Structure formats: C-alpha cells, structure tokens
Amino acid sequence: MTPVSSPDYTTNASRSPFQTRWTVDAVAALFELPFNDLIYRAQQTHRQHFDANAVQLSTLLSVKTGGCSEDCGYCPQSARHEAGMPSEDLLPVEDVVAAARKAKENGASRFCMGAAWRGPKDRDIDNLLPIIEAVKDLGLETCCTLGMLKDGQAERLKEAGLDYYNHNLDTAPEFYGRVISTHTQQDRLNTLERVREAGIHVCCGGIVGMGESRRQRAGLIAQLANLEPYPESVPINNLVAVEGTPLANAEVLDPFEFVRTVACARITMPKALVRLSAGRQQMSESVQALCFLAGANSIFYGDKLLTTGNPEAEQDRALMRKLGITPL
Ligand code: SAM
Ligand code: DTB
Ligand code: SF4
C-alpha cells in the first residue's frame, strides 16, 4: 500500500520563502497516488484555506465572437477551422450590462467577458473601457479574456476597474506546439507578466483531454504552480470537443483523471480558486461532486460558456442544494 507521502519538492533560494517550487516529478507522483489518498490530501489542503462547502459563481459572456486569427486546435472560434464561427462585432455596452445585471440577480459574483481575438487593438481597448466600468458599477467582480496584451493595455484595463484577466497556459510546454502554431506559450507568459505588473489578478489554467499524457498534465500543473506568485484563479477545462475543430475526435478523458487534475491543482496552489470550468455539461453530477471534494471551488454559472453549452442555472442550483453547497 502506498502511503500518503509529502511531495518531493525542491525550494529555490530566489523565490518567496512561502511558495513551494514543484517539480514535474513531484506533481506526477501526486497523480500516481491511490485515488482516495489523493482526494484526502486535496480535501485537507482545501479545508486549511477555504470553507469546504462554498463555491464561487462566475458568469461568462462572449462579448466578441468568432473570426479569430489563431489556430488553437480546440477552439470553435478560430477562423482557420471548419467549425469557424462567423466574426461578430464587439457587443454594445447596453447588451453587456443587461447580461451582467441578470448574472448578478441570479447570484453570480464575477462576470467574465471573453473576446475571440489574438489580442486587442488599442481601439478595442477604448471600446472596452466603458463596458468594464459599467459592469464594475453593478458591484460585480470583473474579468476579461481578450488574448495577448501589448505594453500599456493592461494598465488601461486596470484603471477602468478590471479585477481579473484570464489567460491560460492551456497545456504542457512540450505539447503546446501540437495544439497551437500561431503563437507560442512564451507569448502567453509575456502577457501574464504584463497583467501582474499592472496589478490585475491572474486567472490562468488550462485544458485537459486533448490527447496529452498524464506526465504532460502534471507538467501543466507544475508550470502553473511555479508562476510567481501562482494564479489567484485556476480554471481546469475539460475539452469540449466541437465538430469541425482539429480536436473534434480526441479520445474522451477518463473522468477520474480529470478529478485527479483538479486535486493536483488544489494541492499545489492551496489558496487559489480552482475552477471547474468547461466540460461540466458533459459531466455527471457525481463526477462534479468528486471535483468539489478534490478542491474545486468555482464554476461557470449560466446556460452558456462562450459558444458552447453549460448546465442550466436551475440545474446547478439543484445540485448545490443536494450537496449543501452555498455560493462563496
Ligand atoms: N482569445 C482569448 C484567448 O485565447 O486567451 C480568449 C478566449 S479563449 C476562448 C479562452 C480559453 O477558453 C482558452 O484559453 C481555452 O483554455 C478555453 N477553451 C476554448 N475552447 C475550448 C474548448 N473547446 N474546450 C475547453 N476549453 C476551451
Ligand atoms: C476558461 O478557462 N474557460 C472559459 C473562460 N476561461 C473564458 C472558456 C471556455 C470556453 C469553452 C468553449 C466555448 O464555449 O466556446
Ligand atoms: Fe480561440 Fe482564443 Fe485561440 Fe482565438 S486565441 S482561436 S479565441 S482560444
């Protein structure tokens, strides 16, 4: 029987004395633990930092859909794939505010606005500022995911009241080029740096179920946990395989492996909100409950993600009632 052992991590003198540096081996060893030991450990970590029965609710809105220049293999919004959704304009401020108001009435605390861009032009930022200000004025936390940022753009977003910027590392560095060829993971790291420097909270995670190995899943988690500091918010997406994208026929990931990924994120990033993100509509309630047990404490709430489906809000409220979970 394998005992629950401490991770074999190394500390690096140049880092904050409070942050553990995780080797890929150490995270891979967590993945290898017996399932019950891993979940127990994740639950212990979770309870040190959070109310174990509270889950944060964020609502997503695609404020600019389709026509993206990038070739991310999972994404239905890329203009390069057959799925290729038509390019729409940025939504008017009134439409976004109406959706945000509804999200707040339904109980969401954060409103996330996504745009299918490689990155915004300065003119796009001009148009987004009044939107961010208006959503913030409703008393919601604001989050944007707009792609790669150029110098000065993050500062402007911060000034308008942006609380979080979502920008995912998506997969292990050595797998990244297999999924995306139009930008590099280093480009993403550069944007994360700009976001941090502007004083915006970082929301950064990835996608599993794209054909990566367990070691590569461990590599993604280690890379996220080693960001300095690690992200405040870590979305773990399960691939939503969309017809017409290169990953449409990817082999479905064993749900226990998804739960293990959530547990590893919780253990390695103890104070982060670990977000059970895309893929919930395809997941049974029991697997979602296991994810909460493994330390997930945030979900997307509302019947749509960006372009694909999410459980109906009423269904989520019923699940939370059954599990005795309250909004964070
Ligand atoms: N264009 C911006 C970017 O790439 O950062 C923002 C929008 S993009 C759709 C945001 C994130 O959604 C991606 O980084 C990816 O992690 C996630 N995503 C996109 N398509 C997905 C899918 N089919 N399944 C799961 N996650 C997906
Ligand atoms: C994240 O990590 N997941 C969300 C959010 N950040 C922007 C997006 C999921 C998108 C799923 C596919 C779609 O609906 O288009
Ligand atoms: Fe999709 Fe974002 Fe990649 Fe564009 S940059 S294809 S919107 S994930």
Side-chain angles (χ1 to χ4, degrees):
M1 181 104 35
T2 319
V4 184
S5 56
S6 295
D8 168 32
Y9 59 77
T10 56
T11 46
N12 173 334
S14 69
R15 300 170 68 82
S16 140
F18 305 110
Q19 193 173 331
T20 305
R21 181 169 174 86
W22 287 88
T23 63
V24 179
D25 279 346
V27 181
L30 289 177
F31 268 93
E32 295 296 324
L33 285 172
F35 188 76
N36 288 348
D37 288 347
L38 176 62
I39 302 306
Y40 179 61
R41 194 138 155 216
Q43 186 55 209
Q44 280 180 311
T45 307
H46 192 47
R47 283 170 186 264
Q48 278 167 20
H49 302 285
F50 291 102
D51 173 349
N53 302 303
V55 167
Q56 188 272 339
L57 307 177
S58 295
T59 294
L60 254 181
L61 178 69
S62 179
V63 297
K64 194 274 156 207
T65 306
C68 184
S69 64
E70 302 307 280
D71 69 351
C72 311
Y74 45 79
C75 187
Q77 302 201 68
S78 163
R80 298 173 190 245
H81 307 328
E82 256 173 62
M85 311 193 50
S87 181
E88 292 175 11
D89 291 338
L90 183 67
L91 292 180
V93 60
E94 308 78 55
D95 294 16
V96 181
V97 170
R101 190 169 286 126
K102 204 168 140 216
K104 188 173 181 195
E105 282 164 10
N106 279 334
S109 59
R110 192 182 300 175
F111 192 67
C112 307
M113 296 159 271
W117 286 319
R118 172 184 166 87
K121 299 188 186 72
D122 285 337
R123 200 160 34 85
D124 297 322
I125 300 281
D126 295 341
N127 295 329
L128 279 161
L129 298 185
I131 295 180
I132 295 166
E133 283 164 10
V135 173
K136 182 85 181 161
D137 281 348
L138 295 175
L140 283 159
E141 286 185 326
T142 53
C143 175
C144 278
T145 180
L146 313 171
M148 295 182 280
L149 297 179
K150 294 187 259 304
D151 271 343
Q153 293 185 326
E155 285 73 10
R156 296 185 66 203
L157 294 170
K158 167 79 183 169
E159 219 172 295
L162 188 68
D163 298 307
Y164 284 82
Y165 195 82
N166 167 245
H167 200 60
N168 293 336
L169 290 180
D170 279 325
T171 193
E174 68 274 18
F175 196 67
Y176 200 84
R178 297 268 301 278
V179 182
I180 299 153
S181 76
T182 46
H183 58 263
T184 62
Q185 212 190 44
Q186 187 56 50
D187 292 326
R188 310 277 292 184
L189 288 164
N190 295 345
T191 288
L192 290 170
E193 198 59 45
R194 292 189 168 112
V195 170
R196 267 276 173 245
E197 276 171 17
I200 299 172
H201 298 306
V202 169
C203 173
C204 180
I207 313 181
V208 293
M210 301 196 293
E212 74 286 341
S213 63
R214 174 179 271 188
R215 176 128 192 121
Q216 287 165 335
R217 284 187 282 281
L220 167 70
I221 297 295
Q223 202 189 11
L224 292 167
N226 290 335
L227 290 173
E228 259 189 303
Y230 62 72
E232 283 85 352
S233 185
V234 181
I236 307 292
N237 295 281
N238 202 7
L239 175 72
V240 180
V242 181
E243 199 71 43
T245 61
L247 287 171
N249 299 316
E251 199 181 322
V252 174
L253 188 70
D254 182 318
F256 294 121
E257 191 65 15
F258 184 82
V259 179
R260 281 179 183 276
T261 310
V262 169
C264 290
R266 166 53 63 222
I267 293 165
T268 57
M269 293 170 271
K271 294 184 182 172
L273 280 184
V274 175
R275 315 166 59 97
L276 168 53
S277 299
R280 264 192 330 113
Q281 200 179 40
Q282 294 74 17
M283 221 175 263
S284 69
E285 291 195 334
S286 325
V287 171
Q288 293 183 58
L290 280 177
C291 289
F292 296 134
L293 199 59
N297 61 348
S298 167
I299 57 171
F300 284 120
Y301 176 66
D303 54 8
K304 210 168 169 200
L305 292 167
L306 290 174
T307 66
T308 65
N310 198 42
E312 300 286 334
E314 184 41 49
Q315 207 178 321
D316 277 341
R317 282 195 289 269
L319 176 61
M320 290 191 282
R321 273 196 302 273
K322 275 195 264 187
L323 300 178
I325 285 174
T326 49
L328 188 71

